[in-house]
Amino acid sequence: MANLNVDSVKQRTFDAIVIGSGMSGGWAAKEFTGKGLKTLVLERGRDVKHLKDYPTTNMLPYEFEHRGELTAEIREKNPVVSRCYAFREDAMHFFVKDTEQPYVQEKPFDWIRGQQVGGKSLLWARQTQRWSDFDFEGPARDGFAVDWPIRYKDLAPWYSYVEKFAGISGNNDGLAELPDGDFLPAFPLNSVEDHFKKQLKAHYGNRHVISARCAHLSKPNQIHLEQGRAQCQNRVLCQRGCPFGGYFSSNASTIPWAERTGLMTLLPHSVVQEVIYDEKAGKATGVRVINAQTKEATEYFAPVIFVNASAFSTNQILLNSTSSRFPNGLGNDSGLLGKYVAFHNYRARITAEYEGFQEYATDGRNPAGGGYIPRFRNLHKQETDFLRGYAAGFRADRSKNSDTSGFGADLKNQLLNPSWGIWKVGSHMMGETIPKAESQLSLSKFKKDAWGIPLLNINLDYDANDDKMVADYHAQMEEMFTKAGFTNIQKTDSHQAPGLDIHEMGGVRMGHDPKTSLLNKYNQLHACPNVYVTDGACMTSTSTQNPSLTYMALTARAVDHAVSEMKKQNI
Amino acid sequence: MNRRTVVKGLLLFTGGLVLAPSCVMETSKASIRLKNLDISGEDEKLLGEVVETILPTTDTPGGRTLGLHRFTLKMVDDLRGEKDQKAFTDGLDAFKKLAKKELGSSFMEASPQKRQELIAAVNAGKAPQDVLAFYKLLKDHTITGYLNSELVMTKLRVYELVPGRYNPYFPVKTKQQS
């Protein structure tokens, strides 16, 4: 029987374990298998196979029972996830429902989760911008959080590496604050977006509207065709899963690529309870997994473990990985695990109208969503009474409208023969928030989930800096809109809870010093170097860019480091 | 495809909804299963005539043929909260009373001309508040149902599932030119 046991352990032993199959976990799986390592990928949700498991992808609007809308019953049962713009009839099967996995809101937090193979990479808004040194040097310059242990030059080659494979469309705009990259052709701006770009250039010089950079195959290269992906067909129904593989997701790209090596074992329905730390060996040896359906516990082993469970879930796993060496969570000598979490401030919007360019509209759909305004506030030096700044989305749309005030044959005629309206423009703010010690995650002492894991307490909020930033965004955008000749300007502050931005970050931050950070410059836990964290949990600060591209680059870089350290027998 | 061909094919289109029949096909019950609304078969017929007045059959099918009254019932039943549902059924009763009062007969018995006159008044806001609340719900869902019907989306205002293009400078005629 002893032999059986040995065999069983052998069968459960891999070269690498990756916890999570979303944006960053998918990359870890691809990189490890690409370097010849037998890799176990653990996913707590169900499997979602590219094409096969996109049940709504080719449905026409009239084929949806409620034409895309949520029923009152679903909204009532799921107040949190119902606030997410993408939680609609066509994609609600890819979101975690409120009751499925509870958490404790010490302060209001809308935790939007996609737990299945591919995670939220199926659902993301696909905006991809590089960080620059204006971002990496932020905490050191402005005196918050801790200094990032890396700079742009450390990540630049890895940005190129992931951009080429994922397929990012965009222009090389030559802006120091938003570095150029290895791009496919951009989706161009329309007439009014171009107009706004020119107006900003003329009035400010240092404020820019660029074509939003996004993870869409505007013109696929050989490497994308080899992934089985094809050119984006401008459906803009991405949240359903794309039948063309037109946008980047783990499901369409990294996971099948890893699978093809024959080296990946993908286990869905696998809830990681903890990372196992071996006191004698002085390192992590594996993970304990609860089968989501049978609740049976199984241990798996590997010399290196990547935690990519999504920012806050990664914190939860590490906090729950206790041992006599690490009584407060794995690698948590500093006591900072779960602290200094932050997010992006998406509260502010502004809309307006434009009477010009009546001779143009648009035809087809723009998957990039229009324009992007990189951060211009406090960029080179502190110039306002708040720290940091914001990026902004900007788009102009012109649609055909019908006068629906009448009835009868006249109304029908109006509905069937709409006429072009005027241009509507809109912008939303993506503000940097400051990570603070009091913004923190912890484990509930009383409540456990269905798998025996303590619930996550979430405690973070806006502060005065965020309010000032909202006011400045409104004032600056109003001024810019006015200079561009836009009228009927409307400013709104949604006061939405943190979380709805779906850009929660931190808690396992990178840094130079083990006393003030959890991870080193290669994303290894200072105190347990064979465990790496490369999802949003690793972020020292949030800056203003949509973060996924940075997670991808950090992950590819960290796997390269891990494999090289394994060869040197350092881990 | 021209509109005549569309008319020939009108029997194919039912608003695109697969509607579950109610368990018991009593004449007094609506023909679709409703969880919250209490609607009789007579009410359903009446609503059919009202949506037909809002969106009449012309050279293309109208609201009744497309089943937009049943679509509205389903949407009010599933999407709307209790408050709207009550406003809908209360307002429907008030509408019936208004019809009796203004037309001297039920809406069903009135001539198309008379029906149009009543709907014209309601549409112009000249009716009690409860009737207006009902009418707004009915009209809004009727319009949504129409624009999202298979007929309109495939034949009359074609929806493209796969555009395969984006033209950021699409030339259109200005009002002065058209």
Side-chain angles (χ1 to χ4, degrees):
Chain A
M1 295 309 282
N3 276 344
L4 253 182
N5 250 335
V6 171
D7 280 353
S8 163
V9 169
K10 207 173 166 188
Q11 278 166 13
R12 286 181 283 124
T13 301
F14 297 82
D15 297 331
I17 292 175
V18 178
I19 303 170
S21 62
M23 193 63 80
S24 62
W27 267 97
K30 171 191 171 288
E31 293 305 297
F32 273 126
T33 54
K35 290 173 190 291
L37 275 71
K38 204 178 134 203
T39 306
L40 174 67
V41 179
L42 297 165
E43 167 53 53
R44 72 173 296 154
R46 66 191 169 95
D47 196 6
V48 171
K49 290 249 182 291
H50 184 48
L51 311 181
K52 185 176 152 283
D53 293 321
Y54 302 158
T56 59
T57 189
N58 283 319
M59 283 172 68
L60 289 150
Y62 50 82
E63 292 175 318
F64 288 96
E65 191 178 3
H66 302 101
R67 305 297 191 267
E69 288 194 50
L70 297 175
T71 64
E73 192 185 353
I74 287 172
R75 278 185 276 119
E76 271 161 35
K77 283 188 181 158
N78 302 281
V80 170
V81 69
S82 293
R83 286 193 278 272
C84 176
Y85 68 97
F87 185 74
R88 305 244 307 146
E89 195 173 28
D90 66 343
M92 59 185 180
H93 48 286
F94 289 143
F95 288 84
V96 173
K97 311 300 176 293
D98 290 14
T99 48
E100 285 173 355
Q101 222 187 298
Y103 59 99
V104 181
Q105 300 183 51
E106 292 185 338
K107 287 179 184 156
F109 185 86
D110 290 339
W111 195 8
I112 308 300
R113 293 161 290 176
Q115 287 173 350
Q116 59 258 324
V117 167
K120 298 196 294 291
S121 78
L122 271 172
L123 299 163
W124 65 315
R126 311 164 311 282
Q127 300 287 304
T128 40
Q129 313 99 16
R130 292 185 180 205
W131 279 41
S132 75
D133 276 336
F134 291 107
D135 309 301
F136 287 112
E137 288 171 1
R141 189 193 81 178
D142 292 342
F144 66 96
V146 289
D147 187 20
W148 275 88
I150 54 170
R151 287 294 181 266
Y152 178 64
K153 65 173 169 38
D154 298 308
L155 215 48
W158 295 102
Y159 274 132
S160 293
Y161 180 79
V162 298
E163 281 166 353
K164 284 179 197 162
F165 188 82
I168 307 296
S169 58
N171 288 316
N172 282 323
D173 299 288
L175 304 174
E177 63 272 37
L178 206 74
D180 292 338
D182 288 84
F183 298 145
L184 308 173
F187 292 93
L189 299 176
N190 64 37
S191 57
V192 175
E193 290 160 355
D194 264 336
H195 162 77
F196 192 53
K197 177 192 176 102
K198 283 176 198 151
Q199 291 294 310
L200 290 199
K201 191 92 190 151
H203 289 286
Y204 299 91
N206 60 351
R207 298 187 184 184
H208 309 281
V209 181
I210 64 166
S211 280
R213 298 172 185 174
C214 66
H216 281 260
L217 299 181
S218 53
K219 191 165 174 275
N221 288 329
Q222 186 58 31
I223 187 66
H224 307 121
L225 303 176
E226 283 170 21
Q227 294 168 37
R229 299 169 58 199
Q231 186 173 329
C232 168
Q233 294 299 307
N234 311 68
R235 295 170 13 123
V236 199
L237 298 170
C238 312
Q239 69 282 357
R240 300 179 182 180
C242 182
F244 301 97
Y247 73 96
F248 174 86
S249 66
S250 297
N251 311 67
S253 182
T254 47
I255 293 288
W257 193 264
E259 192 146 46
R260 235 172 284 162
T261 64
L263 293 170
M264 180 181 72
T265 302
L266 174 63
L267 290 185
H269 304 297
S270 298
V271 180
V272 173
Q273 186 182 42
E274 61 176 320
V275 177
I276 303 161
Y277 184 77
D278 185 320
E279 315 264 344
K280 273 189 216 149
K283 60 181 182 183
T285 52
V287 296
R288 174 188 285 267
V289 169
I290 312 291
N291 183 297
Q293 294 165 322
T294 65
K295 315 245 163 112
E296 199 183 333
T298 313
E299 293 181 352
Y300 296 94
F301 308 98
V304 63
I305 296 156
F306 266 55
V307 193
N308 299 86
S310 86
F312 283 9
S313 297
T314 286
N315 276 274
Q316 189 174 16
I317 290 169
L318 294 180
L319 284 165
N320 199 42
S321 303
T322 54
S323 54
S324 45
R325 166 71 184 83
F326 294 112
N328 301 315
L330 188 66
N332 191 14
D333 289 338
S334 62
L336 297 185
L337 179 60
K339 295 185 178 175
Y340 295 95
V341 289
F343 57 100
H344 279 155
N345 179 353
Y346 268 64
R347 271 165 39 191
R349 283 175 184 275
I350 183 166
T351 59
E353 295 173 343
Y354 188 55
E355 303 277 354
F357 290 105
Q358 294 288 304
E359 66 274 32
Y360 290 116
T362 61
D363 180 46
R365 294 175 215 138
N366 181 0
Y372 178 86
I373 304 172
R375 178 164 73 96
F376 53 85
R377 268 311 207 198
N378 301 325
L379 186 62
H380 295 277
K381 60 175 181 5
Q382 187 63 36
E383 60 197 7
T384 68
D385 65 346
F386 59 87
L387 283 182
R388 312 305 295 161
Y390 45 82
F394 174 77
R395 67 181 293 164
D397 290 290
R398 191 176 183 200
S399 58
K400 284 186 161 179
N401 305 323
S402 300
D403 176 359
T404 57
S405 62
F407 78 101
D410 170 54
L411 174 61
K412 206 171 162 194
N413 187 44
Q414 282 285 347
L415 294 176
L416 294 180
N417 299 289
S419 52
W420 288 108
I422 60 170
W423 286 94
K424 311 258 183 183
V425 298
S427 166
H428 66 279
M429 161 184 164
M430 297 171 277
E432 178 163 1
T433 71
I434 306 297
K436 294 160 292 189
E438 65 266 30
S439 300
Q440 58 177 281
L441 311 172
S442 56
L443 296 183
S444 169
K445 291 191 176 64
F446 312 106
K447 294 181 196 159
K448 289 189 174 180
D449 66 15
W451 303 275
I453 298 168
L455 300 194
L456 193 66
N457 300 325
I458 302 180
N459 188 333
L460 75 163
D461 205 350
Y462 295 97
D463 60 24
N465 200 65
D466 301 316
D467 295 336
K468 283 179 193 168
M469 207 184 279
V470 167
D472 188 71
Y473 166 87
H474 277 150
Q476 294 303 313
M477 290 305 300
E478 182 168 33
E479 183 184 285
M480 292 188 269
F481 273 24
T482 305
K483 284 185 200 285
F486 300 157
T487 54
N488 190 19
I489 297 171
Q490 311 279 340
K491 297 168 285 184
T492 56
D493 179 348
S494 70
H495 294 286
Q496 67 188 40
L500 210 51
D501 44 292
I502 327 182
H503 286 178
E504 64 273 14
M505 291 177 240
V508 197
R509 70 182 180 191
M510 296 171 74
H512 301 283
D513 184 351
K515 288 194 190 69
T516 57
S517 63
L518 276 299
L519 302 169
N520 70 11
K521 63 177 174 181
Y522 292 108
N523 300 74
Q524 295 171 282
L525 281 173
H526 290 298
C528 186
N530 69 328
V531 173
Y532 288 71
V533 175
T534 65
D535 63 11
C538 78
M539 301 295 276
T540 308
S541 65
T542 70
S543 201
T544 56
Q545 286 86 333
N546 300 62
S548 292
L549 184 73
T550 299
Y551 304 162
M552 296 189 217
L554 286 169
T555 303
R557 176 174 175 269
V559 171
D560 187 64
H561 181 263
V563 172
S564 134
E565 288 292 282
M566 287 165 88
K567 279 185 188 148
K568 291 182 210 154
Q569 301 195 317
N570 286 343
I571 56 171
Chain B
M1 182 179 280
N2 66 29
R3 291 199 178 181
R4 271 190 207 292
T5 335
V6 173
V7 177
K8 276 189 208 159
L10 69 86
L11 289 175
L12 295 173
F13 299 106
T14 59
L17 260 190
V18 181
L19 297 163
S22 61
C23 300
V24 190
M25 290 295 282
E26 294 169 34
T27 47
S28 63
K29 282 276 179 193
S31 69
I32 56 169
R33 195 182 300 143
L34 298 168
K35 284 180 294 219
N36 305 303
L37 293 179
D38 185 15
I39 294 289
S40 70
E42 288 304 308
D43 290 339
E44 184 183 327
K45 276 188 198 138
L46 166 64
L47 290 168
E49 294 311 313
V50 180
V51 299
E52 183 64 20
T53 311
I54 295 172
L55 288 178
T57 301
T58 51
D59 57 347
T60 60
R64 188 186 49 220
T65 313
L66 293 172
L68 298 180
H69 52 313
R70 288 189 291 270
F71 174 82
T72 297
L73 286 173
K74 180 160 177 65
M75 294 305 121
V76 172
D77 196 52
D78 286 353
L79 302 185
R80 301 284 182 160
E82 243 172 83
K83 201 173 143 232
D84 282 343
Q85 287 166 356
K86 188 168 182 320
F88 187 83
T89 45
D90 288 356
L92 173 59
D93 286 341
F95 176 78
K96 284 189 266 188
K97 283 180 197 140
L98 180 74
K100 272 258 158 59
K101 189 179 142 212
E102 298 293 326
L103 307 176
S105 72
S106 73
F107 190 80
M108 295 296 285
E109 289 158 350
S111 68
Q113 176 64 31
K114 288 268 186 195
R115 288 176 186 177
Q116 279 210 25
E117 281 168 21
L118 182 68
I119 293 300
V122 175
N123 193 73
K126 291 173 199 150
Q129 208 51 49
D130 47 0
V131 172
L132 294 180
F134 151 78
Y135 180 75
K136 184 176 182 346
L137 281 165
L138 179 63
K139 187 178 172 186
D140 286 354
H141 284 294
T142 296
I143 289 174
T144 308
Y146 185 64
L147 291 177
N148 285 283
S149 67
E150 184 174 358
L151 169 69
V152 172
M153 289 202 129
T154 59
K155 310 290 180 201
L156 304 178
R157 265 185 84 173
V158 176
Y159 169 83
E160 288 180 284
L161 185 67
V162 186
R165 67 184 185 285
Y166 177 61
N167 179 357
Y169 281 80
F170 180 64
V172 295
K173 280 183 182 161
T174 60
K175 271 181 193 153
Q176 289 74 24
Q177 288 170 303
S178 62

